[in-house]
Amino acid sequence: MWDYTDKVNEHFRNPHNVGKVENPDGEGQVGSLACGDALKLMFKLDDEGRISEAKFQTFGCASAIASSSALTDMIIGKTLEEAEKITNKDIADYLGGLPKQKVHCSVMGREALEAAIYNYRTGKTWSKEIEGEVVCHCFGVTDKEIEEAIRN
Amino acid sequence: MKTVYVDNNATTQIADEVREAMLPFLTDLWGNPSSMHTFGGQVKKHVEAAREKVAALIGAADPQEVTFTSCGSESNNLAIRGGAEAMDKPLHVITSKVEHAAVSGPCHYLEDRGFRLTKLDVDSQGDLDTGALVHEVKSGKSLTSIMWANNETGVIFPVSQIGELVHEFGGIFHTDAVQAVGKIPMNVSELPIDMLSLSGHKLHAPKGVGALYIRRGTKVKPLVLGGHQERGRRAGTENVPYIVGLGVACDLAGKKLSEENDRVKAMRDRLEQGILACCPGSRVNGDSMHRLPNTTNISFDFIEGEAILLMLDDRGICASTGSACASGSLEPSHVLRAMNVPGTAVHGSIRFSLSTYNTDEDIDAVLTELPKIVQRLRELSPFV
Amino acid sequence: MKTVYVDNNATTQIADEVREAMLPFLTDLWGNPSSMHTFGGQVKKHVEAAREKVAALIGAADPQEVTFTSCGSESNNLAIRGGAEAMDKPLHVITSKVEHAAVSGPCHYLEDRGFRLTKLDVDSQGDLDTGALVHEVKSGKSLTSIMWANNETGVIFPVSQIGELVHEFGGIFHTDAVQAVGKIPMNVSELPIDMLSLSGHKLHAPKGVGALYIRRGTKVKPLVLGGHQERGRRAGTENVPYIVGLGVACDLAGKKLSEENDRVKAMRDRLEQGILACCPGSRVNGDSMHRLPNTTNISFDFIEGEAILLMLDDRGICASTGSACASGSLEPSHVLRAMNVPGTAVHGSIRFSLSTYNTDEDIDAVLTELPKIVQRLRELSPFV
Ligand SMILES: Cc1ncc(COP(=O)(O)O)c(C=O)c1O
Ligand SMILES: Cc1ncc(COP(=O)(O)O)c(C=O)c1O
Ligand code: FES
Ligand code: FES
């Protein structure tokens, strides 16, 4: 049984900001149905360039759901420059920590955000090469990314 | 909150009769059965009586064919590592892709030491590719280890047919029957089975006792080397209380076999039909013809198993994704992958496994709560 | 007839506190600690609490250095077979001639597979030939397994000195401390010991649970391969009740250590002196300086051990010749033979081993009955 913090449990059971944003300014999705990973993140900016609305949908375990929920909470009210600085460790810290084997579940949220910002800035959809050995088959997260996530 | 325990393939509750039978051996009769004095020696006959009961449940011709071990995993390791070591030319190990880790572990161990290892496929129903087996056994004397029933799907393999094929070419056949013993009738003395593993805690005895049936004449080298206990097949002072408990549990299981295949099966079927009816995008994994009476494994499209489990847990419902001992791993079930369960369904499967201790109210509880959970999680999913 | 149990090196009674602590896990808390649901998962912390207690008794720096097993024999096999497998070049196995079968068994197993095996002598006092050890460890990286205390004589070996020698030449040191743990103080974290075996039933926990201390950084391949239990070091669903019991037993043993070395030792000394005084032609086997506080092994010239035992048994006194698990064999004790115990004395030895549950009346009973028995048997002997 995973040792989830109360905060993780809370965000998993009552995730914040679930769903889709109408006419989003940025939209990012990582993964695909075929390889079994998926997180979609959308945001809308206000007049000052701050994120006024952010929503997510995820196909994932409790950590993935909680991390996504936490991330949306964290970015609302921030400028994109501020939001970009959020690391996986920040997400994990915000949740009071994640079990070691589950740290990678926070990676996807980070990447979906990156993809959404890229989409806002370029109008293009982000596609990403995955290198390294796939550790978490459910989300196509690689060991390199986990290493980075843990180092961060 | 009432606990609704529908995870009996992971472990079962200890039957009252089993606990009662064990208590004297935890209290006054704590002697060492190998002792020369009466106080210890008197205990031995209780160990032998238990051996007879285990033999009776599986239909062993002679109780001495039963060796007590510390768990199902040890039984499997003893059979496979010990069986391979005892063979003259044990070059080929044949197993399936859907075995428990306690079988695939020792098989890979042998592979690392130069044995040829073949892992047979299953089809989308979880049924074994017996055609491939025919081909493989021909290639020389083998040690073949194929489970009797799969822990995740409950699919039952044709052990009689497999054993015959293996024997035809001079091989040895071991079956991991940890999930089958006590759930379906069996009579090893009439089957082409050389070794059979079972585990106490899957049939209402405690965790930490198992047995390996070793047909008279089958050679096995011990895994735990040392004293002369278990006729030299397994060293270590005997776990008398649990062995006595396992005996009683086997007795009980024999008596309840018809209830298992009758009332438990009916509950399982109602649960399965109920879920399929009220959860769109759900499907049963595994051949419904050849299946344990207590197990159903159901996949839900677009949602993830752990999330379902935790929400069931909030409502006091205990179920499982795959095998409990794999729950430390993030890999999707190797069994469902071997069956080529498509898309997200492989990530979103839940196993419900019943026992004679379950009631109709348990089934009602699952059927009330599960659809709500599935709907809730689907709302989170980017795929719907 | 009251039972006078002075055979505590064979097995011990389960302490009431141990049984009480186990009962909830045999009754309501029967979940699988690896389960994802709360009902199972909640059990895990009790397993971890037990691990801390075991670690505390032996002075392990980190509870994760403790791996639970199914008995002392398995611990020894895991350490020796698993330790040898994990070494780069594990060519030389060093042990003594007076080890328990659960150490000599796996050592011979390795010898059969091409390892060089050296079995060190002991002198007439049962003390290890450390000079020979110095010579042997020099010959290259070794796996050395020497017991902490001998089960038959109670002789204590200088594990600190042995470990230092082994380490000086890059070897690995395992000690079978099954008879030492709970009887003498120890602090493995400050000793040059890489692995240490212990068994529950020698310290008032049940038969069928043990542990292996594996110092952080020491590599060991698992013996029972399969699931991820015990961090991959020992597959098999955990025997939660016994693990909890072992924890409590270690706690108790820690608290009773001074009584063991004080009251129990005084009883043992009175027993020993009393026997020597009233049975002519009797002598103590084993160094009296380096000996467990609870054990005495006494040889009687011209009479045979089994006969003495059976007559003691008639009077409700439970003792032993050599180790219980060797009692199926007719060979005189390998320990006494290694000590070159002369003439008929090697066949006529009895081991008395006490525990904190013994009383002065128990000692009185032995001292009343034994001389009569010895005299009676001497009358039968052709040698007198
Ligand atoms: C020194 C020694 N090592 C190992 C063992 C084996 O312990 P177990 O019976 O728990 O396997 C014993 C006792 O039987 C022993 O005395
Ligand atoms: C098919 C199968 N084999 C072996 C085992 C291992 O049994 P144990 O946990 O007693 O080692 C299990 C259960 O965990 C199982 O389901
Ligand atoms: S996203 Fe959590 S396990 Fe892969
Ligand atoms: S005469 Fe009976 S054991 Fe040797």
Side-chain angles (χ1 to χ4, degrees):
Chain A
M1 184 156 139
W2 302 111
D3 245 334
Y4 286 136
T5 62
D6 290 346
K7 203 78 189 259
V8 172
N9 278 322
E10 212 179 283
H11 276 273
F12 160 61
R13 284 175 171 104
N14 294 300
H16 307 167
N17 310 310
V18 174
K20 293 181 179 166
V21 175
E22 293 282 324
N23 304 316
D25 291 318
E27 171 177 346
Q29 169 151 0
V30 288
S32 73
L33 192 67
C35 50
D37 64 347
L39 191 135
K40 193 184 265 183
L41 192 129
M42 304 176 193
F43 65 77
K44 215 177 172 64
L45 297 173
D46 63 16
D47 300 343
E48 287 156 36
R50 291 184 181 276
I51 296 173
S52 57
E53 204 185 349
K55 288 197 167 173
F56 79 97
Q57 289 177 305
T58 186
F59 168 74
C61 69
S63 303
I65 293 172
S67 301
S68 312
S69 166
L71 177 65
T72 52
D73 274 2
M74 290 166 81
I75 61 175
I76 290 174
K78 288 200 167 62
T79 63
L80 294 184
E81 291 66 32
E82 288 165 350
E84 265 177 325
K85 294 203 186 94
I86 294 171
T87 63
N88 301 301
K89 185 169 180 305
D90 294 333
I91 302 174
D93 287 350
Y94 184 88
L95 290 168
L98 285 170
K100 204 168 70 221
Q101 304 95 315
K102 288 279 190 176
V103 168
H104 68 273
C105 308
S106 64
V107 173
M108 274 217 316
R110 251 303 272 116
E111 288 191 343
L113 174 64
E114 240 175 278
I117 295 174
Y118 178 85
N119 169 253
Y120 166 74
R121 287 179 179 156
T122 67
K124 289 189 243 169
T125 313
W126 195 34
S127 76
K128 178 167 167 293
E129 295 255 318
I130 293 182
E131 352 163 355
E133 195 187 334
V134 177
V135 175
C136 169
H137 289 266
C138 32
F139 288 115
V141 175
T142 67
D143 52 358
K144 283 206 178 131
E145 287 164 298
I146 294 175
E147 241 173 69
E148 265 164 39
I150 294 172
R151 260 195 266 112
N152 281 339
Chain B
M1 191 171 55
K2 194 183 166 280
T3 297
V4 175
Y5 190 83
V6 284
D7 197 14
N8 287 280
N9 286 10
T11 198
T12 61
Q13 79 179 79
I14 299 176
D16 291 343
E17 297 89 333
V18 168
R19 189 176 41 255
E20 292 308 317
M22 292 185 342
L23 281 180
F25 299 90
L26 292 167
T27 312
D28 298 322
L29 289 169
W30 47 266
N32 187 328
S34 300
S35 287
M36 201 103 84
H37 44 72
T38 311
F39 177 74
Q42 65 179 330
V43 166
K44 186 146 193 114
K45 63 174 180 291
H46 300 278
V47 170
E48 296 315 311
R51 204 183 303 281
E52 284 170 24
K53 290 179 176 145
V54 176
L57 180 65
I58 61 173
D62 178 353
Q64 296 301 337
E65 293 176 322
V66 173
T67 297
F68 290 114
T69 67
S70 71
C71 59
S73 297
E74 188 193 325
S75 297
N76 285 339
N77 276 263
L78 172 56
I80 298 170
R81 292 178 62 165
E85 259 182 32
M87 287 172 83
D88 301 336
K89 260 201 192 174
L91 294 170
H92 193 188
V93 177
I94 302 174
T95 185
S96 83
K97 288 198 176 152
V98 297
E99 299 296 319
H100 189 270
V103 163
S104 54
C107 287
H108 282 126
Y109 172 91
L110 293 174
E111 187 183 28
D112 289 345
R113 272 146 200 82
F115 289 71
R116 184 153 72 87
L117 176 62
T118 305
K119 295 174 82 172
L120 300 172
D121 282 313
V122 296
D123 64 18
S124 63
Q125 293 290 296
D127 288 318
L128 194 75
D129 183 348
T130 41
L133 177 65
V134 174
H135 179 76
E136 291 296 339
V137 290
K138 277 187 187 152
S139 77
K141 197 167 162 179
S142 71
L143 174 69
T144 297
S145 179
I146 307 272
M147 66 204 321
W148 195 313
N150 185 271
N151 44 309
E152 294 190 29
T153 59
V155 169
I156 295 172
F157 288 138
V159 285
S160 171
Q161 190 193 341
I162 298 168
E164 264 161 37
L165 280 169
V166 173
H167 283 176
E168 199 179 321
F169 298 93
I172 303 265
F173 179 43
H174 164 253
T175 185
D176 174 355
V178 164
Q179 292 293 348
V181 172
K183 291 177 190 151
I184 50 175
M186 56 181 65
N187 189 341
V188 279
S189 68
E190 293 181 354
L191 287 168
I193 291 173
D194 302 302
M195 293 187 274
L196 175 148
S197 301
L198 62 92
S199 175
H201 73 104
K202 309 290 185 181
L203 64 153
H204 307 293
K207 285 164 260 307
V209 64
L212 181 66
Y213 162 81
I214 306 172
R215 180 181 291 273
R216 181 189 289 274
T218 304
K219 294 206 184 77
V220 193
K221 296 271 187 206
L223 187 70
V224 180
L225 297 153
H228 299 293
Q229 294 91 350
E230 297 298 297
R231 310 168 92 217
R233 285 191 158 145
R234 204 284 184 186
T237 304
E238 297 88 338
N239 183 346
V240 179
Y242 281 16
I243 288 173
V244 168
L246 178 58
V248 174
C250 285
D251 233 19
L252 280 176
K255 288 179 189 137
K256 289 189 170 180
L257 255 187
S258 63
E259 183 186 344
E260 182 89 26
N261 287 277
D262 194 346
R263 189 176 71 82
V264 172
K265 184 170 183 306
M267 286 191 293
R268 192 274 315 266
D269 289 341
R270 184 162 78 87
L271 177 67
E272 188 170 288
Q273 294 313 318
I275 293 173
L276 293 179
C278 57
C279 301
S282 60
R283 78 193 75 192
V284 174
N285 296 310
D287 187 342
S288 47
M289 289 288 294
H290 306 112
R291 196 137 53 92
L292 292 176
N294 79 319
T295 308
T296 181
N297 185 309
I298 300 184
S299 274
F300 301 89
D301 288 338
F302 311 130
I303 54 179
E304 206 267 343
E306 184 194 311
I308 305 175
L309 271 197
L310 294 181
M311 290 200 169
L312 283 170
D313 188 38
D314 288 345
R315 291 152 179 83
I317 299 170
C318 306
S320 170
T321 55
S323 59
C325 75
S327 68
S329 117
L330 304 170
E331 302 275 312
S333 151
H334 69 288
V335 176
L336 301 187
R337 281 203 297 180
M339 290 162 66
N340 273 317
V341 171
T344 60
V346 70
H347 296 273
S349 84
I350 302 287
R351 174 185 74 187
F352 299 95
S353 47
L354 313 185
S355 83
T356 52
Y357 291 91
N358 283 117
T359 60
D360 285 328
E361 287 70 50
D362 292 342
I363 307 301
D364 293 340
V366 179
L367 289 177
T368 311
E369 299 300 336
L370 186 64
K372 293 189 253 174
I373 293 169
V374 170
Q375 198 191 328
R376 173 104 181 274
L377 287 169
R378 288 245 168 93
E379 284 162 11
L380 285 179
S381 175
F383 297 126
V384 213
Chain C
M1 188 172 57
K2 191 183 167 284
T3 297
V4 175
Y5 189 83
V6 285
D7 196 15
N8 287 281
N9 286 10
T11 198
T12 61
Q13 78 179 79
I14 299 176
D16 291 342
E17 296 89 333
V18 168
R19 187 175 44 257
E20 292 308 317
M22 291 183 346
L23 281 179
F25 299 90
L26 292 167
T27 314
D28 298 321
L29 290 169
W30 47 265
N32 187 329
S34 300
S35 287
M36 200 101 84
H37 44 71
T38 310
F39 177 73
Q42 65 179 330
V43 165
K44 187 151 192 109
K45 63 174 181 289
H46 300 278
V47 170
E48 296 315 312
R51 203 184 303 281
E52 283 171 25
K53 289 178 176 146
V54 176
L57 180 65
I58 61 173
D62 179 354
Q64 298 300 338
E65 294 175 323
V66 172
T67 297
F68 290 115
T69 66
S70 72
C71 59
S73 298
E74 187 192 325
S75 296
N76 285 338
N77 277 262
L78 173 56
I80 298 170
R81 291 178 62 164
E85 257 183 33
M87 286 172 83
D88 300 336
K89 263 201 189 171
L91 294 168
H92 192 188
V93 177
I94 303 174
T95 184
S96 82
K97 289 198 175 151
V98 296
E99 298 297 318
H100 189 271
V103 163
S104 53
C107 287
H108 283 126
Y109 172 92
L110 292 174
E111 187 184 26
D112 289 346
R113 271 145 202 85
F115 289 71
R116 185 154 71 87
L117 176 63
T118 305
K119 295 175 82 172
L120 301 173
D121 283 313
V122 296
D123 64 17
S124 63
Q125 294 290 294
D127 289 318
L128 193 76
D129 185 346
T130 41
L133 177 64
V134 174
H135 180 75
E136 292 297 339
V137 289
K138 277 187 188 153
S139 76
K141 200 168 161 178
S142 70
L143 175 70
T144 297
S145 179
I146 308 273
M147 67 204 321
W148 195 313
N150 185 270
N151 44 309
E152 294 191 29
T153 59
V155 169
I156 294 172
F157 288 138
V159 284
S160 170
Q161 192 193 340
I162 298 168
E164 264 162 37
L165 279 169
V166 173
H167 283 177
E168 198 178 325
F169 296 94
I172 302 265
F173 179 44
H174 164 253
T175 184
D176 174 354
V178 164
Q179 293 293 347
V181 172
K183 291 178 189 150
I184 51 174
M186 57 181 64
N187 189 341
V188 280
S189 68
E190 293 182 353
L191 288 168
I193 292 173
D194 302 302
M195 293 187 274
L196 176 148
S197 301
L198 63 92
S199 175
H201 73 104
K202 310 290 185 181
L203 64 154
H204 307 294
K207 285 165 260 306
V209 64
L212 181 66
Y213 162 81
I214 306 173
R215 180 180 291 273
R216 180 189 288 275
T218 305
K219 294 204 183 77
V220 192
K221 295 271 188 208
L223 187 71
V224 180
L225 296 154
H228 299 293
Q229 293 91 349
E230 297 297 297
R231 310 169 93 216
R233 286 192 157 143
R234 204 286 182 186
T237 305
E238 298 88 338
N239 183 345
V240 180
Y242 280 17
I243 288 173
V244 168
L246 179 57
V248 173
C250 285
D251 232 19
L252 280 175
K255 287 181 188 136
K256 289 189 171 181
L257 254 186
S258 63
E259 183 185 345
E260 182 89 27
N261 287 276
D262 192 349
R263 188 176 71 83
V264 172
K265 183 171 184 303
M267 286 192 293
R268 192 274 315 267
D269 289 342
R270 184 164 77 89
L271 176 67
E272 186 170 288
Q273 293 312 318
I275 293 174
L276 293 179
C278 58
C279 301
S282 61
R283 79 193 76 195
V284 174
N285 295 311
D287 186 340
S288 46
M289 289 288 293
H290 305 112
R291 197 138 52 92
L292 292 175
N294 79 319
T295 309
T296 182
N297 185 308
I298 300 185
S299 275
F300 301 89
D301 288 339
F302 311 131
I303 54 178
E304 209 267 341
E306 185 192 309
I308 305 174
L309 271 197
L310 294 182
M311 290 201 170
L312 283 170
D313 189 37
D314 288 345
R315 291 156 180 80
I317 299 170
C318 306
S320 168
T321 57
S323 60
C325 73
S327 67
S329 113
L330 302 169
E331 300 275 310
S333 149
H334 70 290
V335 176
L336 300 187
R337 281 202 299 181
M339 289 162 66
N340 273 315
V341 172
T344 60
V346 71
H347 292 276
S349 84
I350 303 288
R351 174 185 72 186
F352 300 96
S353 47
L354 313 184
S355 83
T356 51
Y357 291 91
N358 284 117
T359 61
D360 285 328
E361 289 69 50
D362 292 341
I363 308 301
D364 293 340
V366 180
L367 288 177
T368 311
E369 299 300 335
L370 186 64
K372 292 189 256 176
I373 293 169
V374 170
Q375 199 191 330
R376 174 108 176 270
L377 288 169
R378 288 246 168 90
E379 284 162 17
L380 286 176
S381 173
F383 298 124
V384 210

